[in-house]
Amino acid sequence: MTNKDLANLIFPNITKTIEDYEKEYPKRNLPEGAIVSRFAPSPTGFMHLGGLFQALIDYVIAKNSNGVFYLRNEDTDKSREVEGAVELIMHVLNHYGLTPDEYEFDSKTIGNYGPYIQSERKEIYHAFIKHLIEIGRAYPCFCDKNELDLMRDNQETMKIRTGYHGRFARCSRLTVDEAIQKIKNGEKYVIRFRSNGNFDNKFEFDDLRQGKLYLNENDIDEVIMKSENMLPTYHFAHIVDDHLMRTTHVVRGEDWLPSAPKHIQMFEAFGFEAPKYIHTPLIMKKEGESLRKISKRKDPEARMSYYEELGYPALAVIESLMTIINSNYEEWHTANPDKKFTDFTFSADKMSTSGALYDLMKLDDISKNIISKMTKDELYKESLNWSITYSESLKNIIEKDPEYYKNIINIERVQEKPRKDISKYSDIENLIWYMYDDIFYNKEKTYEWKKITDKKEISKILSTYMNKYIDLSDKEVWFNNIKLMCDELGYASNMKEYKKNPENFKGNVADVSTVLRVALTSKSMTPDLYEIMSLIGIEKIKERYNKIREEF
Ligand code: GLU
């Protein structure tokens, strides 16, 4: 019996050959230098920051080079599959504007290199495994879990590198006849790749981020097909896929780097050119003075849902990631404020060689800037959309009177240095609630009085203002009136004079304005008081001032 007989016994119905598939998925017709990248998540849970980080690099390098960015669903580990994970991945990519050029979703396939779901590619993998068996580079292994555990224990006691290699690779020495007999006897088996490496040899591996590395050759006979469902393992499936989908660049977490030697070996076994690799750094966070890896379990910001729930604009999250993807992104962005992040030329060698530090404060800053540049209509639209899913109360506020809401968020927006106090849509309600009587009167609030705290004095300021000076016809008139009131009540209307002789006055115009502001909003810090007063209107201002005076 020959290897061919063995291959036919295992895959009796596989008739297509590698050559057939090469023809079916020919080299892509793309301009010179175009990069084909892929995001290849396993649908095993929520989408996390590290995933978006990788997808963003994939997207940028493909767009930079007029290439193709595709999504592949790596679902061969059925036991770890989580329902809804694929929907979430697709949602996140779309939300962040990283929609792939090719993908399969919702029974729709876009692109000519599919299926893009690994579990639908079983026949293809089998053809490739069949070929490896025929040429003697793969074999069935009948060792069960107990035997493998025992082997590992022995290796550990003998202080030998663990794994199915060298003399431990017992089934690699079975003859074809023995293997065929065992299969015919109904023994369970997996398929292993027959490695031809020597662990003591090093070979040169060029990682686009880390440069030239010297890695040990692989000598482990890795499992490439599991016995359950005859599905391939990641190690094998992605070799076939990256080749047939004509991937030029693989961007994946650096936790895969130790497996690279076996992947390279598999590409070689088929005579395929391996893609270029960018192994990405871990995403780190600051904790006190030290840095640690962002944890999917411990850190809420590791989940992409965190950013959507809080209402960060998608672009803010993208830009915050771009700043850690390439150290020169920020400088470039400052010099080219109107360009899109896809116009930036990504360089793998400008990625951090250690971990990538993700800083939420930085995200806030970036986000504040982005929101400050939105027009009132844009911010209205974005915040309304967000509120529909995440905040019933903001939604009610907005829908009650959209024009009023737009005017509120427009305060200090159209000016050279627009306000920058909103970093996410969930900040808004807390910044504007006092503009609404129904909320204002029903809310537990503390009046943040500053210098003037005496109730009688406050009352006097408010009544004098209401009786004689309130005038919102124009900002200059409004302020002038406040100054006139200061003169009447013994406060300095002129700051210079006040600074010269503070003892001559009860306080100054800023102290008086603060009383007007706090009495109206309860807050000592608000955007422009004149605009707030104009929007609330004289009637309602008076109502609020009178109420306070009654409460005193
Ligand atoms: N499915 C693998 C993972 O989720 C993908 C690794 C790769 O991009 O090749 O880690």
Side-chain angles (χ1 to χ4, degrees):
M1 295 278 199
T2 63
N3 282 328
K4 235 185 152 84
D5 299 316
L6 178 61
N8 278 330
L9 177 66
I10 296 174
F11 301 110
N13 301 320
I14 296 297
T15 50
K16 275 200 190 173
T17 63
I18 294 190
E19 290 69 41
D20 295 332
Y21 286 114
E22 291 286 347
K23 275 190 215 128
E24 209 171 307
Y25 303 103
K27 274 218 161 92
R28 290 171 183 266
N29 190 7
L30 292 171
E32 178 79 24
I35 289 178
V36 179
S37 63
R38 86 294 196 275
F39 181 45
S42 304
T44 51
F46 55 80
M47 177 84 176
H48 51 89
L49 197 60
L52 188 68
F53 181 77
Q54 280 163 22
L56 180 56
I57 299 173
D58 282 317
Y59 186 83
V60 170
I61 57 177
K63 298 295 150 185
N64 273 180
S65 63
N66 292 318
V68 174
F69 164 55
Y70 71 85
L71 173 68
R72 185 170 71 223
N73 178 355
E74 302 211 323
D75 65 341
T76 59
D77 193 350
K78 288 293 175 196
S79 62
R80 290 178 58 222
E81 197 164 332
V82 168
E83 217 191 293
V86 177
E87 284 70 18
L88 203 66
I89 290 163
M90 205 61 207
H91 164 79
V92 169
L93 292 180
N94 286 333
H95 178 77
Y96 288 100
L98 309 183
T99 305
D101 300 308
E102 297 175 6
Y103 61 90
E104 191 171 331
F105 184 65
D106 238 2
S107 346
K108 195 170 69 183
T109 304
I110 313 260
N112 297 326
Y113 286 80
Y116 296 92
I117 299 177
Q118 286 189 329
S119 57
E120 294 174 11
R121 300 172 63 79
K122 207 153 121 175
E123 230 179 79
I124 304 178
Y125 303 129
H126 286 181
F128 279 68
I129 296 173
K130 190 170 187 183
H131 169 80
L132 286 184
I133 296 176
E134 284 170 359
I135 63 167
R137 291 301 303 274
Y139 61 88
C141 166
F142 303 88
C143 296
D144 64 18
K145 191 174 175 308
N146 288 342
E147 284 169 285
L148 293 173
D149 287 348
L150 196 66
M151 178 190 91
R152 172 172 287 267
D153 290 348
N154 285 339
Q155 286 172 326
E156 275 167 4
T157 349
M158 293 187 293
K159 300 212 173 349
I160 293 177
R161 194 161 41 83
T162 56
Y164 209 78
H165 57 79
R167 64 188 164 92
F168 299 97
R170 213 179 322 149
C171 291
S172 71
R173 292 186 294 274
L174 290 175
T175 63
V176 170
D177 288 339
E178 284 167 332
I180 288 179
Q181 197 50 53
K182 279 175 174 289
I183 293 174
K184 286 193 171 156
N185 292 347
E187 283 189 42
K188 260 179 101 176
Y189 61 92
V190 299
I191 304 289
R192 285 186 188 271
F193 177 67
R194 193 187 298 275
S195 148
N196 58 0
N198 176 349
F199 187 76
D200 296 327
N201 287 347
K202 299 242 184 209
F203 71 102
E204 196 179 286
F205 177 80
D206 204 3
D207 183 82
L208 294 189
R209 172 170 74 101
Q210 303 183 43
K212 278 197 194 337
L213 302 171
Y214 292 90
L215 306 179
N216 294 82
E217 283 181 8
N218 169 58
D219 64 352
I220 290 180
D221 287 358
E222 187 66 38
V223 175
I224 57 175
M225 190 185 89
K226 298 171 270 190
S227 55
E228 305 81 39
N229 301 323
M230 295 180 83
L231 276 170
T233 56
Y234 161 74
H235 297 296
F236 184 74
H238 91 282
I239 301 289
V240 174
D241 297 344
D242 281 335
H243 175 69
L244 289 182
M245 296 178 182
R246 307 295 171 176
T247 313
T248 63
H249 287 60
V250 167
V251 178
R252 62 181 182 187
E254 68 182 2
D255 44 335
W256 288 114
L257 186 61
S259 306
K262 59 184 149 223
H263 300 156
I264 300 289
Q265 243 177 24
M266 290 184 203
F267 280 112
E268 280 170 2
F270 286 111
F272 299 153
E273 192 188 335
K276 294 192 165 55
Y277 287 92
I278 300 172
H279 286 97
T280 58
L282 295 172
I283 303 201
M284 315 287 283
K285 73 178 278 179
K286 235 188 173 146
E287 195 166 61
E289 280 311 293
S290 51
L291 298 186
R292 68 163 172 81
K293 182 179 170 245
I294 282 197
S295 145
K296 289 187 224 168
R297 261 176 305 114
K298 272 203 294 198
D299 303 312
E301 72 268 31
R303 296 174 179 239
M304 287 324 299
S305 53
Y306 172 85
Y307 305 91
E308 271 189 70
E309 279 162 18
L310 286 175
Y312 283 102
L315 186 60
V317 177
I318 289 288
E319 287 197 346
S320 70
L321 285 174
M322 287 302 290
T323 62
I324 62 167
I325 281 177
N326 263 189
S327 51
N328 54 331
Y329 179 78
E330 245 180 305
E331 202 184 311
W332 173 87
H333 186 55
T334 316
N336 302 282
D338 300 325
K339 289 208 169 147
K340 274 195 73 189
F341 66 91
T342 38
D343 296 326
F344 171 77
T345 309
F346 167 85
S347 342
D349 57 359
K350 290 209 177 73
M351 293 188 81
S352 137
T353 41
S354 51
L357 176 64
Y358 193 67
D359 181 354
L360 286 175
M361 305 259 274
K362 178 115 201 178
L363 169 65
D364 273 350
D365 281 347
I366 293 175
S367 195
K368 278 178 185 166
N369 255 321
I370 290 177
I371 294 180
S372 78
K373 287 188 192 133
M374 289 181 182
T375 64
K376 67 171 188 227
D377 289 312
E378 282 165 348
L379 181 54
Y380 158 75
K381 208 174 111 222
E382 295 295 331
S383 55
L384 176 61
N385 273 344
W386 173 81
S387 73
I388 289 169
T389 316
Y390 297 106
S391 169
E392 182 78 21
S393 52
L394 183 65
K395 178 176 164 277
N396 290 339
I397 289 178
I398 299 177
E399 285 179 341
K400 203 161 30 189
D401 187 346
E403 280 314 305
Y404 184 58
Y405 174 74
K406 280 190 204 175
N407 289 332
I408 295 170
I409 55 175
N410 207 36
I411 298 178
E412 289 186 30
R413 178 160 297 275
V414 194
Q415 57 191 39
E416 204 178 274
K417 284 199 171 153
R419 64 191 281 190
K420 283 193 183 164
D421 51 352
I422 308 172
S423 66
K424 45 196 180 303
Y425 307 130
S426 57
D427 289 344
I428 296 178
E429 193 173 339
N430 201 28
L431 292 168
I432 65 165
W433 59 269
Y434 54 76
M435 298 299 290
Y436 295 87
D437 273 353
D438 49 345
I439 309 177
F440 184 81
Y441 288 122
N442 291 317
K443 201 172 172 96
E444 284 271 342
K445 54 190 177 292
T446 334
Y447 285 86
E448 299 168 354
W449 306 113
K450 289 282 157 189
K451 207 155 128 199
I452 305 171
T453 50
D454 179 64
K455 290 182 178 173
K456 262 201 207 134
E457 187 61 17
I458 292 173
S459 209
K460 188 161 143 209
I461 293 174
L462 296 179
S463 65
T464 314
Y465 187 63
M466 286 188 288
N467 293 335
K468 273 172 85 175
Y469 293 103
I470 192 161
D471 185 341
L472 302 174
S473 52
D474 127 331
K475 192 164 180 176
E476 223 171 286
V477 174
W478 165 80
F479 193 47
N480 213 31
N481 272 12
I482 296 177
K483 290 208 259 189
L484 289 176
M485 175 169 74
C486 286
D487 295 337
E488 178 184 327
L489 297 178
Y491 292 88
S493 55
N494 179 313
M495 284 310 256
K496 267 196 202 137
E497 274 176 30
Y498 178 71
K499 277 187 189 139
K500 252 190 273 163
N501 298 304
E503 65 286 352
N504 291 352
F505 304 94
K506 286 201 273 180
N508 61 49
V509 63
D511 303 325
V512 171
S513 301
T514 299
V515 167
L516 297 180
R517 182 190 309 272
V518 177
L520 184 63
T521 65
S522 80
K523 304 222 152 273
S524 58
M525 300 263 288
T526 71
D528 191 90
L529 181 59
Y530 171 72
E531 299 213 29
I532 290 178
M533 286 186 151
S534 304
L535 284 175
I536 294 181
I538 291 185
E539 277 318 296
K540 287 185 173 168
I541 295 173
K542 284 185 175 170
E543 257 173 58
R544 290 194 189 183
Y545 286 174
N546 283 327
K547 254 210 154 89
I548 287 210
R549 297 180 66 238
E550 279 161 28
E551 280 166 18
F552 277 166

PDB file of all heavy atoms in Angstrom, residues 38 40-42 74 234 238 250-252 256, ligand 1:
ATOM      1  N   ARG A  38      -6.105  40.851   5.517  1.00  0.00           N
ATOM      2  CA  ARG A  38      -7.350  40.252   5.994  1.00  0.00           C
ATOM      3  C   ARG A  38      -7.459  40.407   7.494  1.00  0.00           C
ATOM      4  O   ARG A  38      -6.483  40.465   8.223  1.00  0.00           O
ATOM      5  CB  ARG A  38      -7.416  38.784   5.580  1.00  0.00           C
ATOM      6  CG  ARG A  38      -6.765  37.773   6.485  1.00  0.00           C
ATOM      7  CD  ARG A  38      -5.271  37.862   6.606  1.00  0.00           C
ATOM      8  NE  ARG A  38      -4.662  36.686   7.178  1.00  0.00           N
ATOM      9  CZ  ARG A  38      -4.524  36.426   8.479  1.00  0.00           C
ATOM     10  NH1 ARG A  38      -4.952  37.264   9.374  1.00  0.00           N
ATOM     11  NH2 ARG A  38      -3.935  35.311   8.882  1.00  0.00           N
ATOM     12  N   ALA A  40      -9.049  38.259  10.440  1.00  0.00           N
ATOM     13  CA  ALA A  40      -9.476  36.855  10.500  1.00  0.00           C
ATOM     14  C   ALA A  40      -9.825  36.429  11.922  1.00  0.00           C
ATOM     15  O   ALA A  40      -9.176  35.561  12.497  1.00  0.00           O
ATOM     16  CB  ALA A  40      -8.356  35.982   9.940  1.00  0.00           C
ATOM     17  N   PRO A  41     -10.834  37.057  12.496  1.00  0.00           N
ATOM     18  CA  PRO A  41     -11.153  36.725  13.886  1.00  0.00           C
ATOM     19  C   PRO A  41     -11.849  35.378  14.031  1.00  0.00           C
ATOM     20  O   PRO A  41     -12.469  34.891  13.089  1.00  0.00           O
ATOM     21  CB  PRO A  41     -12.105  37.845  14.285  1.00  0.00           C
ATOM     22  CG  PRO A  41     -12.777  38.234  13.022  1.00  0.00           C
ATOM     23  CD  PRO A  41     -11.771  38.033  11.928  1.00  0.00           C
ATOM     24  N   SER A  42     -11.711  34.814  15.210  1.00  0.00           N
ATOM     25  CA  SER A  42     -12.501  33.635  15.547  1.00  0.00           C
ATOM     26  C   SER A  42     -13.717  34.139  16.310  1.00  0.00           C
ATOM     27  O   SER A  42     -13.579  34.979  17.199  1.00  0.00           O
ATOM     28  CB  SER A  42     -11.691  32.701  16.435  1.00  0.00           C
ATOM     29  OG  SER A  42     -10.484  32.386  15.777  1.00  0.00           O
ATOM     30  N   GLU A  74     -12.958  32.740  11.086  1.00  0.00           N
ATOM     31  CA  GLU A  74     -12.198  31.529  11.423  1.00  0.00           C
ATOM     32  C   GLU A  74     -12.943  30.732  12.490  1.00  0.00           C
ATOM     33  O   GLU A  74     -12.668  30.820  13.684  1.00  0.00           O
ATOM     34  CB  GLU A  74     -10.791  31.912  11.869  1.00  0.00           C
ATOM     35  CG  GLU A  74     -10.080  32.701  10.769  1.00  0.00           C
ATOM     36  CD  GLU A  74      -8.580  32.518  10.718  1.00  0.00           C
ATOM     37  OE1 GLU A  74      -7.961  32.404  11.789  1.00  0.00           O
ATOM     38  OE2 GLU A  74      -8.033  32.499   9.602  1.00  0.00           O
ATOM     39  N   TYR A 234      -6.496  25.947  13.196  1.00  0.00           N
ATOM     40  CA  TYR A 234      -6.119  27.279  12.705  1.00  0.00           C
ATOM     41  C   TYR A 234      -4.810  27.220  11.925  1.00  0.00           C
ATOM     42  O   TYR A 234      -4.677  27.784  10.836  1.00  0.00           O
ATOM     43  CB  TYR A 234      -5.974  28.254  13.881  1.00  0.00           C
ATOM     44  CG  TYR A 234      -5.156  29.477  13.520  1.00  0.00           C
ATOM     45  CD1 TYR A 234      -5.695  30.472  12.701  1.00  0.00           C
ATOM     46  CD2 TYR A 234      -3.835  29.623  13.939  1.00  0.00           C
ATOM     47  CE1 TYR A 234      -4.941  31.581  12.326  1.00  0.00           C
ATOM     48  CE2 TYR A 234      -3.076  30.723  13.563  1.00  0.00           C
ATOM     49  CZ  TYR A 234      -3.636  31.698  12.759  1.00  0.00           C
ATOM     50  OH  TYR A 234      -2.888  32.777  12.379  1.00  0.00           O
ATOM     51  N   HIS A 238      -5.433  28.452   7.962  1.00  0.00           N
ATOM     52  CA  HIS A 238      -5.076  29.799   7.502  1.00  0.00           C
ATOM     53  C   HIS A 238      -3.984  29.768   6.433  1.00  0.00           C
ATOM     54  O   HIS A 238      -3.870  30.687   5.630  1.00  0.00           O
ATOM     55  CB  HIS A 238      -4.703  30.703   8.682  1.00  0.00           C
ATOM     56  CG  HIS A 238      -3.256  30.709   9.049  1.00  0.00           C
ATOM     57  ND1 HIS A 238      -2.657  29.715   9.769  1.00  0.00           N
ATOM     58  CD2 HIS A 238      -2.285  31.592   8.755  1.00  0.00           C
ATOM     59  CE1 HIS A 238      -1.375  29.996   9.923  1.00  0.00           C
ATOM     60  NE2 HIS A 238      -1.117  31.126   9.311  1.00  0.00           N
ATOM     61  N   VAL A 250      -0.033  39.468   6.459  1.00  0.00           N
ATOM     62  CA  VAL A 250      -0.774  38.963   7.609  1.00  0.00           C
ATOM     63  C   VAL A 250      -0.467  39.860   8.812  1.00  0.00           C
ATOM     64  O   VAL A 250       0.686  40.008   9.196  1.00  0.00           O
ATOM     65  CB  VAL A 250      -0.369  37.508   7.925  1.00  0.00           C
ATOM     66  CG1 VAL A 250      -0.882  37.085   9.294  1.00  0.00           C
ATOM     67  CG2 VAL A 250      -0.901  36.574   6.843  1.00  0.00           C
ATOM     68  N   VAL A 251      -1.530  40.480   9.340  1.00  0.00           N
ATOM     69  CA  VAL A 251      -1.372  41.292  10.545  1.00  0.00           C
ATOM     70  C   VAL A 251      -2.021  40.507  11.665  1.00  0.00           C
ATOM     71  O   VAL A 251      -3.214  40.224  11.619  1.00  0.00           O
ATOM     72  CB  VAL A 251      -2.103  42.650  10.384  1.00  0.00           C
ATOM     73  CG1 VAL A 251      -1.990  43.488  11.642  1.00  0.00           C
ATOM     74  CG2 VAL A 251      -1.566  43.413   9.175  1.00  0.00           C
ATOM     75  N   ARG A 252      -1.265  40.108  12.638  1.00  0.00           N
ATOM     76  CA  ARG A 252      -1.873  39.334  13.724  1.00  0.00           C
ATOM     77  C   ARG A 252      -1.094  39.588  15.008  1.00  0.00           C
ATOM     78  O   ARG A 252       0.026  40.101  14.990  1.00  0.00           O
ATOM     79  CB  ARG A 252      -1.901  37.842  13.378  1.00  0.00           C
ATOM     80  CG  ARG A 252      -0.532  37.235  13.186  1.00  0.00           C
ATOM     81  CD  ARG A 252      -0.604  35.752  12.816  1.00  0.00           C
ATOM     82  NE  ARG A 252       0.730  35.196  12.675  1.00  0.00           N
ATOM     83  CZ  ARG A 252       0.987  33.971  12.238  1.00  0.00           C
ATOM     84  NH1 ARG A 252       0.004  33.162  11.873  1.00  0.00           N
ATOM     85  NH2 ARG A 252       2.224  33.529  12.158  1.00  0.00           N
ATOM     86  N   TRP A 256       1.167  35.065  18.173  1.00  0.00           N
ATOM     87  CA  TRP A 256       1.297  34.053  17.116  1.00  0.00           C
ATOM     88  C   TRP A 256       2.732  33.879  16.629  1.00  0.00           C
ATOM     89  O   TRP A 256       3.028  32.957  15.877  1.00  0.00           O
ATOM     90  CB  TRP A 256       0.402  34.389  15.907  1.00  0.00           C
ATOM     91  CG  TRP A 256      -1.058  34.173  16.184  1.00  0.00           C
ATOM     92  CD1 TRP A 256      -2.033  35.116  16.240  1.00  0.00           C
ATOM     93  CD2 TRP A 256      -1.710  32.917  16.457  1.00  0.00           C
ATOM     94  NE1 TRP A 256      -3.248  34.549  16.528  1.00  0.00           N
ATOM     95  CE2 TRP A 256      -3.077  33.189  16.664  1.00  0.00           C
ATOM     96  CE3 TRP A 256      -1.277  31.592  16.548  1.00  0.00           C
ATOM     97  CZ2 TRP A 256      -4.011  32.200  16.952  1.00  0.00           C
ATOM     98  CZ3 TRP A 256      -2.204  30.597  16.837  1.00  0.00           C
ATOM     99  CH2 TRP A 256      -3.552  30.915  17.037  1.00  0.00           C
TER     100      TRP A 256
HETATM  101  N1  GLU B   1      -8.328  33.405  14.174  1.00  0.00           N
HETATM  102  C1  GLU B   1      -7.079  33.871  14.676  1.00  0.00           C
HETATM  103  C2  GLU B   1      -7.335  34.659  15.948  1.00  0.00           C
HETATM  104  O1  GLU B   1      -8.445  35.102  16.145  1.00  0.00           O
HETATM  105  C3  GLU B   1      -6.476  34.781  13.657  1.00  0.00           C
HETATM  106  C4  GLU B   1      -5.033  34.965  13.701  1.00  0.00           C
HETATM  107  C5  GLU B   1      -4.640  35.538  12.353  1.00  0.00           C
HETATM  108  O2  GLU B   1      -4.996  36.682  12.081  1.00  0.00           O
HETATM  109  O3  GLU B   1      -4.031  34.827  11.560  1.00  0.00           O
HETATM  110  O4  GLU B   1      -6.442  34.857  16.741  1.00  0.00           O
END
